[in-house]
Amino acid sequence: MRIAIFSEVYWPMVSGVSTTLTQTATALTDRGHAVRVYSPEYPLGEMTDRPEVHRSPGGAFFLAPEVQWAAPDQAAINSDLRRFDPDVVHLATEWSMGYAGLRAAQALGAPIIASAHTDYEQYAARYRMAWATQVGWVYLRWFYRQAALVLAPSAGYRGHLESRGVPHTGLWTRGVDTARFSPAFRSDRYRADLGLGADDRIVSYVGRIAPEKGIDALLDAWETVHPRRPEAHLVFTGTGLMEEAIRRRNLPRVHLTGMKRGDDLAAAYASADIFVMPSTTETFGNVTLEAMASGLAVLAVAAGGILNFGRANDNCLLSDPGQADQLAAGIDRLLTDDELRRRLASGGRTTALARRWGPIFDGLVDNYLSVASAEVAEAA
């Protein structure tokens, strides 16, 4: 097949959506499909861009500077898409890049599939923009109705889309590369670079350091934990708007490592002892599954995508949303109960091993074929 993907976020930007789409493009190419990805320009530094990408101008999005907001040249995109001649167009984001893809696909008469990744309602509330939710859904319902199928990352979010009036939904869940994320990447050097010894414990968070991720709740929990657990260090891996807020709180034994990729990211996961995901806004929770694959005991909030694979006291501990005291108690328990920590880490690794990407990508291709063949049958 020939598959065009439109997304505001793509390599080298690091997020759950970007990582999923990059892995998808690689897997589709490896299966013999032709892939073209339309995305904004991102700073590459000394890196060489991926060959499948068509870049549009963009600028930093004010709510999340790590995201480039596209200013697409519609004529250039239409021309490039016409040359690529896709069997199906996949709109992976809904705003400027997705809208450009929608217009280009409709001009070409190409079949359209969309995917929903972000719980905009919860994001709006965290950024004090709840007033925009109603009008936002007017647009999103219109946008999704242009697609033959709308894929959600979890059953819970699929139900949410349907409750908001989005028709013809499907499921495109997530997997994890258990060779890329593995306990084998545990690194004494990584720990030493943080100034830590063998007896110290790392409580890890990996992801965007942003208001919607529950960072305040985690910091409040740490304020309770750190006085009685001097061996524990809280390590944030990632970037985002709340980095300066973390520095201002100036809590003891808190480390900001910045963005990490490849083996460095794998080591950041595997060299920790506990992983905490305080977010209530995850539609799936890729980083939590990566932490499980890396052999970490996981503490997460019982909300959103984690509920699709997290089982309390089997592969994780779960706390109620917005309860910093429960997060503190969970961190305390995992730091002091070695047997529980080992058992949850083992359960998490088992969960990750069962979520291979291969069948998930096969299911996505089946969805592409279904949408494309339906359009062909309709045209005939």
Side-chain angles (χ1 to χ4, degrees):
M1 294 190 74
R2 301 182 67 78
I3 302 147
I5 299 172
F6 286 79
S7 177
E8 222 74 40
V9 293
Y10 195 64
W11 185 94
M13 189 268 182
V14 177
S15 71
V17 178
S18 172
T19 299
T20 295
L21 293 175
T22 305
Q23 290 173 313
T24 298
T26 299
L28 291 171
T29 302
D30 289 346
R31 284 165 166 75
H33 303 288
V35 180
R36 188 72 162 149
V37 178
Y38 297 83
S39 185
E41 296 171 347
Y42 279 86
L44 295 175
E46 297 180 358
M47 297 182 291
T48 301
D49 208 353
R50 290 174 62 97
E52 74 274 10
V53 187
H54 177 282
R55 298 289 185 184
S56 290
F61 183 42
F62 74 102
L63 291 178
E66 66 274 16
V67 175
Q68 293 291 300
W69 189 264
D73 181 333
Q74 191 70 54
I77 287 174
N78 287 7
S79 176
D80 190 87
L81 189 67
R82 190 178 304 110
R83 284 193 299 273
F84 181 68
D85 190 24
D87 296 303
V88 66
V89 172
H90 180 168
L91 308 178
T93 55
E94 304 88 347
W95 307 106
S96 61
M97 206 71 236
Y99 181 69
L102 172 62
R103 291 180 62 191
Q106 290 177 332
L108 196 60
I112 297 170
I113 193 168
S115 54
H117 306 268
T118 303
D119 190 338
Y120 293 112
E121 288 181 42
Q122 293 215 46
Y123 275 47
R126 297 303 175 96
Y127 287 96
R128 300 180 181 179
M129 296 177 66
W131 53 268
T133 300
Q134 186 173 355
V135 68
W137 270 114
V138 171
Y139 169 76
L140 288 171
R141 276 190 290 269
W142 171 84
F143 181 88
Y144 291 139
R145 283 173 179 158
Q146 311 309 305
L149 182 64
V150 181
L151 300 175
S154 63
Y157 198 63
R158 180 183 183 181
H160 178 71
L161 289 173
E162 291 173 348
S163 75
R164 293 296 183 265
V166 178
H168 46 259
T169 63
L171 189 63
W172 175 29
T173 188
R174 303 292 185 262
V176 64
D177 184 341
T178 54
R180 172 75 283 172
F181 299 102
S182 163
F185 284 95
R186 190 172 179 89
S187 166
D188 291 338
R189 178 176 178 178
Y190 172 85
R191 295 171 64 89
D193 286 346
L194 291 172
L196 308 185
D199 296 330
D200 289 314
R201 300 288 186 192
I202 293 179
V203 179
S204 175
Y205 168 87
V206 177
R208 288 194 304 110
I209 304 175
E212 70 274 9
K213 298 296 184 179
I215 303 300
D216 279 333
L218 179 53
L219 293 174
D220 290 344
W222 188 250
E223 200 153 18
T224 300
V225 169
H226 79 78
R228 57 178 181 252
R229 300 295 168 215
E231 78 284 7
H233 294 251
L234 178 59
V235 179
F236 289 91
T237 300
T239 60
L241 286 174
M242 289 199 68
E243 289 178 84
E244 188 54 39
I246 292 171
R247 294 187 181 98
R248 283 198 304 269
R249 287 190 69 161
N250 196 31
L251 294 172
R253 301 187 304 282
V254 174
H255 308 259
L256 290 159
T257 72
M259 185 73 71
K260 292 190 179 296
R261 305 174 187 273
D263 287 354
D264 291 337
L265 177 59
Y269 274 117
S271 303
D273 301 283
I274 299 166
F275 181 83
V276 182
M277 174 44 71
S279 173
T280 64
T281 65
E282 306 307 294
T283 56
F284 182 81
N286 299 51
V287 295
T288 304
L289 194 58
E290 290 168 359
M292 288 180 172
S294 301
L296 302 186
V298 166
L299 168 63
V301 172
I306 182 66
L307 298 177
N308 289 269
F309 59 90
R311 299 183 297 276
N313 301 309
D314 175 42
N315 61 7
C316 65
L317 291 183
L318 294 175
S319 74
D320 292 331
Q323 300 299 312
D325 58 336
Q326 290 187 26
L327 284 177
I331 294 170
D332 221 4
R333 187 178 173 195
L334 289 173
L335 286 171
T336 56
D337 190 335
D338 294 346
E339 190 281 328
L340 175 65
R341 193 170 62 251
R342 284 192 292 267
R343 179 165 60 80
L344 294 181
S346 176
R349 178 70 180 171
T350 299
T351 297
L353 289 168
R355 296 192 71 96
R356 295 178 297 114
W357 273 114
I360 294 169
F361 290 135
D362 292 342
L364 179 62
V365 171
D366 287 343
N367 283 320
Y368 288 154
L369 289 168
S370 175
V371 168
S373 61
E375 292 285 333
V376 170
E378 186 175 310

